[in-house]
Amino acid sequence: MRGRLRWMLPLAAVPFLGLLMFGLARNPDFFPTPLIGEPAPSWHLETLEGDSLSLAELRGKVVVLNFWASWCVPCRAEHGVLLETARTYPVDEVQVVGIVYDDSRRNAQRFLDQLGNTWLHVVDPGIRTAIDHGVHGVPETFFVDRGGAIGAKHIGPLTWDVVQANVDSLLASPPVTAPVP
Amino acid sequence: MSRVRLVCGMALLLTAAPLAAQEPLDNRMPAEDPSLLTDSTAAVLDGEAAEIAGQLRCPVCTGQSVLESNSGIAQEMQAVIRERLGEGETEEEILEYFVGAYGDWIILKPRAIGLNLLVYILPSVALIFGGAWLVTRIRKWSHDSPDTDDGQVSGLSEDDDQWLREAIGRG
């Protein structure tokens, strides 16, 4: 009995250690999204300039949909990457759209005045569009294919490598969903 | 001392993990002018909306439900629930909407489908088999009469018996 206990006790610890290692190695900021491959939630919102913009209008382009806020420090860090994105890809191929998350128009505008702005921004009253997208916090970025389906999602600040990999693959591949006539 | 240090280190490790890049809604600086969020003080959740909110996980405060949380996003989700109830949607449809956006993760209690079924079945299975095993073991123990005639303590292997004798001898 004593001989058996000697190896059974450590053996019983194995599943617990395995679970602990799994839990500690996991990125707590990563949440799998069920939206990959699905049609992107539709939205029709007002831009910071007061014009109307909808996702449907952007059909045919790859859309980089970036949820951000002026109070969000990592958003400040990724802003340069978005400037680079808008500069690199022609606007009739790739459209960057910022969705302002839980912020006032004034603060959002001031942020853009400071850091530069060459793309479109819409405001999202009551963060309804963010909730439609299953957003946990900012920044989060969705890459929408030409047919209006979500190709990829990135949580946290963007890097140029992430943008390039996702945009290039969406530009190269046919849309996941057929364009609505 | 080293154990204290180890415990402190592990505690640090555990608390540091959630501090990574993303910023949850709650850490925001107070806005100078009103933000675009719904005024949460205006409405109190009624019974059905509270019932639904209690089943949903708050996205920025893992472990709390949308009903319990005061975070901005939870307040907005409560507003979404109210609006959808007002439009005549059922509880099922509203839960389905949130699962569609956030995945099964958003439901606090795992739904009894697919792999999740294990959570519901395994404890009963473990209880039945463990109970049956215990019953047979106890029966066996109570039926075996102690056999001290040959000088060996009952139920032990020769090795263990030897070890026990030595242990008693030393004590």
Side-chain angles (χ1 to χ4, degrees):
Chain A
M1 200 59 174
R2 188 169 143 270
R4 204 154 27 132
L5 267 184
R6 200 180 288 167
W7 58 267
M8 271 184 74
L9 267 179
L11 202 68
V14 166
F16 291 101
L17 282 175
L19 210 61
L20 192 68
M21 273 168 66
F22 171 74
L24 286 177
R26 240 167 52 138
N27 177 0
D29 285 335
F30 177 76
F31 302 97
T33 172
L35 290 170
I36 304 294
E38 298 289 323
S42 68
W43 47 264
H44 192 160
L45 298 167
E46 198 177 302
T47 64
L48 277 177
E49 288 76 30
D51 302 323
S52 115
L53 181 72
S54 70
L55 181 68
E57 292 169 44
L58 303 173
R59 255 321 133 77
K61 296 184 191 183
V62 168
V63 180
V64 178
L65 206 58
N66 173 246
F67 289 88
W68 68 279
S70 67
W71 46 262
C72 148
V73 179
C75 299
R76 201 166 276 271
E78 73 171 4
H79 200 79
V81 175
L82 289 164
L83 281 167
E84 183 66 28
T85 308
R87 187 162 49 227
T88 305
Y89 296 100
V91 74
D92 56 337
E93 292 269 317
V94 176
Q95 177 68 60
V96 182
V97 178
I99 297 193
V100 181
Y101 179 88
D102 181 26
D103 204 350
S104 66
R105 284 164 179 274
R106 211 180 71 179
N107 286 347
Q109 193 57 60
R110 191 160 33 176
F111 177 97
L112 293 174
D113 291 345
Q114 278 172 13
L115 295 180
N117 171 29
T118 55
W119 58 98
L120 300 167
H121 297 271
V122 292
V123 289
D124 180 18
I127 61 171
R128 292 299 187 272
T129 306
I131 295 175
D132 283 343
H133 284 76
V135 166
H136 289 260
V138 277
E140 277 187 27
T141 306
F142 292 82
F143 296 90
V144 183
D145 72 16
R146 291 207 199 89
I150 290 178
K153 174 188 181 180
H154 181 79
I155 297 176
L158 287 168
T159 62
W160 176 244
D161 289 343
V162 167
V163 170
Q164 203 177 25
N166 285 304
V167 170
D168 286 353
S169 102
L170 288 184
L171 282 174
S173 62
V176 175
T177 54
V180 171
Chain B
M1 187 59 198
S2 72
R3 185 177 294 180
V4 171
R5 217 177 281 168
L6 186 73
V7 169
C8 288
M10 281 183 76
L12 253 177
L13 209 69
L14 287 171
T15 50
L19 295 177
Q22 242 200 350
E23 221 173 301
L25 191 52
D26 285 342
N27 291 356
R28 68 188 189 276
M29 302 292 289
E32 284 164 34
D33 44 351
S35 77
L36 295 157
L37 291 193
T38 309
D39 183 8
S40 59
T41 53
V44 178
L45 284 189
D46 62 37
E48 199 179 0
E51 170 89 31
I52 298 170
Q55 296 176 52
L56 294 172
R57 193 188 298 272
C58 161
V60 295
C61 34
T62 311
Q64 259 190 328
S65 74
V66 165
L67 181 64
E68 296 157 336
S69 171
N70 292 319
S71 69
I73 193 164
Q75 299 292 324
E76 289 305 331
M77 285 168 73
Q78 291 181 10
V80 169
I81 295 168
R82 274 194 302 274
E83 286 162 16
R84 287 181 172 254
L85 280 174
E87 287 160 15
E89 280 193 29
T90 65
E91 180 176 328
E92 284 301 300
E93 286 169 331
I94 294 170
L95 291 176
E96 207 47 55
Y97 160 72
F98 284 109
V99 169
Y102 285 91
D104 271 334
W105 178 91
I106 200 77
I107 305 282
L108 273 170
K109 191 175 151 195
R111 297 195 292 179
I113 46 165
L115 204 62
N116 290 353
L117 273 174
L118 283 181
V119 177
Y120 293 90
I121 294 170
L122 272 185
S124 326
V125 170
L127 207 67
I128 290 166
F129 280 89
W133 179 79
L134 258 185
V135 166
T136 54
R137 265 353 271 259
I138 290 169
R139 272 217 190 116
K140 194 163 173 263
W141 293 333
S142 56
H143 284 307
D144 287 351
S145 56
D147 177 18
T148 47
D149 286 348
D150 60 354
Q152 202 195 351
V153 181
S154 166
L156 292 179
S157 72
E158 217 147 306
D159 270 5
D160 288 343
D161 190 62
Q162 183 63 28
W163 175 81
L164 186 58
R165 275 166 200 285
E166 278 170 24
I168 295 167
R170 248 179 250 144

